Amino acid sequence: MMKPNAHSVKNVSKTATGFLFVFSYLRGRGRFLKPDATRRSTSLPQVGEIQFPRMPKAFFAVAVALAAVPAAQPARRAASLVVVGGTVITENAARQVLTPGAVAIRGTDIIDVDRPEVIAGRYAATETIDARDQIVLPGLINTHTHAPMVMFRGLADDLALMEWLQKYIFPAEAKTVSADFVRIGTRLAALEMIESGTTTYADMYYFEEEIAKATREAGLRGVLGETIIQFPSPDAKTPAEGLARAERFIAAFKGDSLIVPAVAPHAMYTNDKATLVASAELGRRYGVPVLIHLAETEDEVRIARDQYHLTPVGYLDSIGFLGPRTLAAHGIWVTDDDIQVLSQR
Ligand SMILES: [Zn+2]
């Protein structure tokens, strides 16, 4: 017996009216066939007897392909992939966990999540993955990365942040970081993220357009911030140059389906007030996130106290930096008052 192939069903599901038509046609199929039981079930004249004389030619072909489906079985919709049999952690409003469950995917979209028998009844899958003894869950989100820095893995471990940055990382970056370095490092980082179940990440680094391209290529989502820092960096001699670079990057990727471009002033202790304010204004002007390291170490808290008699959060708030699109990384040393301020801006 002929079964509808994925192609024909997909054509039907493109229009709601088309689908309803096929559904009602299948239910009443016996009646349509009655006038001439000897006629071959896939012949065009027979479909014509349904009295839709102006039906488009392509649609005739779809209806004919479906004509041989048994009347009791509703048409199954096409799915490019069904993942079946695993423990599905839905993270829906009811925090449902399906043991076992199944997930139907069409193209890049998850179109249904339910018990295996329900999904099997609704969808004809081009490809099926047996996920027995495995957990199926929404992708993890890493909220703070410098993806290409996988290339520095093992360099100067186990040091305090300021010593690590100033004695090792900033000098190493000045010598080695280029567009090539960033592209290669991001591709490696993307592989590691995919392997560990991370599908979205928030990054701040240099040559962020290379990171964006590699992220898209890997099929990951990224909130990607071009770094702004007061001293000469691998991709900008001055903060003003960095800001101009960030603006070009934001303009190039705004509205992208996978990339949310952003601006990333490194920290309150590596940028002066004018640079911090200009970064926040750039973010506001384009309606994009502003990423910053904040209250990461006790050293940072000490610097803010010594220079401004404020906490790092208090200082950023005093210059109008904070807003609803601020993404603060770390926040290890925030006070209760700082948390209040951050939640209100
Ligand atoms: Zn960081």
Side-chain angles (χ1 to χ4, degrees), residues 14 36 56 116 190 193 235 252 257 260 294 318 333:
K14 273 180 182 168
D36 185 353
M193 283 191 269
D235 67 355
S257 59
V260 175
L294 185 57
S318 75
W333 298 97

Side-chain angles (χ1 to χ4, degrees), residues 8 11-13 15 17-23 25 44 47 52 54-66:
S8 60
N11 284 346
V12 172
S13 65
T15 62
T17 48
F19 180 76
L20 286 171
F21 165 71
V22 172
F23 181 67
Y25 168 60
L44 282 175
V47 177
F52 283 90
R54 281 169 294 172
M55 203 159 41
K57 205 173 175 185
F59 195 76
F60 264 100
V62 172
V64 168
L66 289 168

Side-chain angles (χ1 to χ4, degrees), residues 144 146 293 330:
H144 184 64
H146 310 283
H293 295 101
H330 304 293

Side-chain angles (χ1 to χ4, degrees), residues 262-324:
V263 56
H266 176 268
M268 56 74 61
Y269 60 90
T270 48
N271 283 298
D272 67 17
K273 180 183 165 187
T275 303
L276 290 167
V277 169
S279 301
E281 277 173 2
L282 177 63
R284 262 179 226 124
R285 197 156 70 244
Y286 282 87
V288 296
V290 180
L291 281 49
I292 189 165
H293 295 101
L294 185 57
E296 181 177 358
T297 61
E298 286 181 295
D299 281 334
E300 181 180 335
V301 173
R302 184 181 47 73
I303 290 166
R305 288 245 159 84
D306 288 353
Q307 293 185 5
Y308 311 109
H309 307 291
L310 291 165
T311 64
V313 172
Y315 169 64
L316 289 183
D317 195 39
S318 75
I319 62 171
F321 179 92
L322 301 174

Side-chain angles (χ1 to χ4, degrees), residues 3-331:
K3 286 190 175 175
N5 60 36
H7 179 68
S8 60
V9 176
K10 193 175 172 189
N11 284 346
V12 172
S13 65
K14 273 180 182 168
T15 62
T17 48
F19 180 76
L20 286 171
F21 165 71
V22 172
F23 181 67
S24 58
Y25 168 60
L26 289 172
R27 288 182 69 190
R29 180 170 160 264
R31 182 160 53 84
F32 293 138
L33 292 177
K34 212 173 181 179
D36 185 353
T38 60
R39 201 175 279 168
R40 287 182 63 226
S41 65
T42 54
S43 63
L44 282 175
Q46 189 181 327
V47 177
E49 287 165 16
I50 310 165
Q51 294 176 349
F52 283 90
R54 281 169 294 172
M55 203 159 41
K57 205 173 175 185
F59 195 76
F60 264 100
V62 172
V64 168
L66 289 168
V69 177
Q73 184 184 330
R76 293 193 304 164
R77 281 167 280 167
S80 45
L81 173 67
V82 166
V83 181
V84 65
T87 297
V88 177
I89 298 170
T90 64
E91 289 297 313
N92 63 12
R95 293 283 192 271
Q96 249 180 316
V97 176
L98 304 168
T99 315
V103 180
I105 293 154
R106 184 181 299 139
T108 57
D109 296 329
I110 293 171
I111 51 174
D112 211 345
V113 180
D114 216 312
R115 297 189 312 278
E117 64 274 19
V118 176
I119 294 295
R122 285 182 193 152
Y123 301 96
T126 310
E127 187 190 351
T128 301
I129 293 177
D130 181 350
R132 264 177 300 179
D133 301 325
Q134 298 190 53
I135 292 171
V136 182
L137 75 169
L140 302 174
I141 298 171
N142 187 336
T143 59
H144 184 64
T145 65
H146 310 283
M149 288 184 78
V150 289
M151 304 281 269
F152 293 134
R153 181 174 289 148
L155 176 71
D157 281 342
D158 300 326
L159 295 169
L161 177 71
M162 295 302 175
E163 188 185 3
W164 180 75
L165 278 178
Q166 284 157 11
K167 284 193 184 162
Y168 299 93
I169 294 303
F170 289 151
E173 286 179 336
K175 281 183 189 162
T176 59
V177 173
S178 64
D180 281 346
F181 175 103
V182 165
R183 184 174 55 254
I184 293 162
T186 305
R187 294 181 77 182
L188 173 58
L191 284 176
E192 293 185 355
M193 283 191 269
I194 291 166
E195 195 177 25
S196 65
T198 299
T199 56
T200 300
Y201 70 111
D203 188 86
M204 48 199 285
Y205 210 57
Y206 308 103
F207 299 101
E208 204 67 33
E209 70 284 355
E210 296 295 336
I211 297 178
K213 283 186 257 176
T215 301
R216 282 189 58 85
E217 196 180 276
L220 293 170
R221 287 180 197 279
V223 177
L224 308 178
E226 169 69 20
T227 295
I228 310 297
I229 203 157
Q230 204 66 33
F231 52 78
S233 78
D235 67 355
K237 289 189 190 70
T238 63
E241 205 181 300
L243 284 161
R245 225 178 181 290
E247 184 163 2
R248 285 198 300 276
F249 170 65
I250 291 166
F253 285 91
K254 189 95 167 53
D256 190 276
S257 59
L258 292 175
I259 307 301
V260 175
V263 56
H266 176 268
M268 56 74 61
Y269 60 90
T270 48
N271 283 298
D272 67 17
K273 180 183 165 187
T275 303
L276 290 167
V277 169
S279 301
E281 277 173 2
L282 177 63
R284 262 179 226 124
R285 197 156 70 244
Y286 282 87
V288 296
V290 180
L291 281 49
I292 189 165
H293 295 101
L294 185 57
E296 181 177 358
T297 61
E298 286 181 295
D299 281 334
E300 181 180 335
V301 173
R302 184 181 47 73
I303 290 166
R305 288 245 159 84
D306 288 353
Q307 293 185 5
Y308 311 109
H309 307 291
L310 291 165
T311 64
V313 172
Y315 169 64
L316 289 183
D317 195 39
S318 75
I319 62 171
F321 179 92
L322 301 174
R325 290 194 181 84
T326 307
L327 177 56
H330 304 293

